[in-house]
Amino acid sequence: MEHDLLESLRRAHAEARMTGWDFSALEGRLIADDPWWDFEADCLDAMRYARAVADLGTGGGERLIRLVDAFPDDREGTRTIVATEGWEPNLAVARRNLGTRGIEVLPYDAETGQAMPFGDGELDLVMSRHEGIDAGEVTRVLASGGQLLTQQVDGRDAEEIHEWFEAGFAYPEVTAERFVADLETAGMRIDQADEWSGQMRFTDVEALVIYLGYVPWDVPGFSVDEHLERLSELAASPGIAVTQRRFRIHATKP
C-alpha cells in the first residue's frame, strides 16, 4: 500500500468518532439501499393516535426531531413525548437537540437489565429504531392497546466485514424470530413482522475505515496497521459492498 494512502487511512480512522447518529461525513461515499418499508412513516402514523410516546435509543435525537416537526403545533399539549439514550456521549447531544422541542431525554440501556424509566401502563407507543429492547419491560410500560414499533439491524448484518477482518458477531441473537418469540412470551400480540436484505456500498477503502470508526462494535479492536493486508486488497478491488439485514416488528399489548 502506498505510504500516502496508509497515512490517510490511519488519520481517517483516528478521527472517526460518532456523535449522535450522524453519517453525513460519508455522504456520497456510503450508498445504502433502504428496506421496502418506511419505518419513519410507520412511526408518524402511530404517533397521531398516541398521547404518551417514548423513543428508545434516540441517538442525538435527529430522527425524533424529524417526526416531531412533521406535526403541527400541539397547542393543547395532548401529546407527551420522551426519549431515552443509553450511550453516555450521546446523552448531552440528545438533550441539547431535543431540549428545544421540550422533550426530556432519560438515560436507559436495555442491555443492562435495568427497568425502563416509566410506570406501568404509562405509554401508548414505544418506538425503537436500531436499539435493543427488553420485551418484558416494553410490555409493562405499555397501556392496554399500546403499540411497539421496532426496526432492528439483524445480528448477522454486514457479514462480509466480519469475514474480511475475522470478527465475530456481537449480537447473533438479534433476529426477527427471536424478537417475535420474546414479545409473544411477554404477552404482546404480533401484528406484523418483516425481514429484508440489501446492499451497502463504499466508494473507496477510506470510507470503509471511517465507517468502522463510527461503529467500532462491528470489528472490536480494529486498527489500520493490524489489517493492512486486507485493506490493501480491498483498496485494489473495483467495489466494496456488504449485505445489510434489517427486520421490523409491529406489536400490540392486548
Side-chain angles (χ1 to χ4, degrees):
M1 179 179 288
E2 294 181 3
H3 177 74
D4 288 348
L5 177 56
L6 175 58
E7 288 302 312
S8 177
L9 295 182
R10 286 172 174 161
R11 183 170 57 252
H13 187 254
E15 295 174 354
R17 295 294 179 268
M18 179 65 74
T19 56
W21 191 245
D22 182 9
F23 287 87
S24 60
L26 286 173
E27 185 173 356
R29 303 176 71 186
L30 169 61
I31 302 96
D33 297 336
D34 291 318
W36 56 266
W37 60 76
D38 187 335
F39 186 69
E40 288 200 10
D42 294 343
C43 291
L44 188 60
D45 185 59
M47 287 174 70
R48 298 182 192 281
Y49 307 100
R51 60 173 178 75
V53 180
D55 182 41
L56 305 187
T58 198
E62 301 88 353
R63 188 185 75 92
L64 186 54
I65 287 172
R66 292 196 298 271
L67 291 172
V68 171
D69 287 354
F71 284 101
D73 290 342
D74 188 0
R75 299 185 186 279
E76 298 180 2
T78 57
R79 183 182 299 106
T80 300
I81 301 174
V82 294
T84 71
E85 176 55 38
W87 192 44
E88 185 67 31
N90 271 351
L91 268 174
V93 178
R95 285 170 171 165
R96 182 173 64 249
N97 291 341
L98 292 171
T100 60
R101 269 72 171 183
I103 297 173
E104 185 179 12
V105 183
L106 303 172
Y108 171 70
D109 182 354
E111 292 185 25
T112 66
Q114 67 187 110
M116 290 178 70
F118 308 107
D120 295 358
E122 182 178 342
L123 302 174
D124 299 308
L125 174 63
V126 171
M127 306 180 295
S128 172
R129 182 183 183 277
H130 302 181
E131 175 72 5
I133 64 170
D134 179 324
E137 277 297 291
V138 169
T139 304
R140 178 184 67 80
V141 302
L142 281 173
S144 179
Q147 284 187 291
L148 165 70
L149 302 185
T150 185
Q151 176 177 297
Q152 295 289 332
V153 177
D154 189 287
R156 301 157 296 174
D157 187 64
E159 58 194 290
E160 294 87 353
I161 287 176
H162 294 269
E163 180 181 345
W164 292 335
F165 302 110
E166 300 180 340
F169 291 103
Y171 302 99
E173 74 282 359
V174 177
T175 64
E177 182 180 12
R178 174 68 179 272
F179 267 53
V180 164
D182 287 350
L183 287 165
E184 288 182 332
T185 298
M188 297 287 285
R189 183 186 74 232
I190 305 302
D191 301 317
Q192 189 154 5
D194 299 295
E195 297 180 78
W196 170 87
S197 64
Q199 276 200 332
M200 179 166 60
R201 296 168 291 279
F202 301 90
T203 59
D204 53 75
V205 73
E206 183 178 288
L208 172 62
V209 165
I210 293 171
Y211 175 81
L212 292 175
Y214 283 167
V215 291
W217 51 85
D218 263 11
V219 185
F222 172 86
S223 75
V224 170
D225 290 277
E226 184 176 343
H227 297 97
L228 189 56
E229 182 177 353
R230 178 63 71 184
L231 291 171
S232 297
E233 294 172 358
L234 291 169
S237 66
I240 303 172
V242 302
T243 303
Q244 297 185 101
R245 299 185 189 278
R246 303 284 184 271
F247 62 88
R248 70 165 176 174
I249 297 173
H250 295 184
T252 301
K253 180 176 178 178

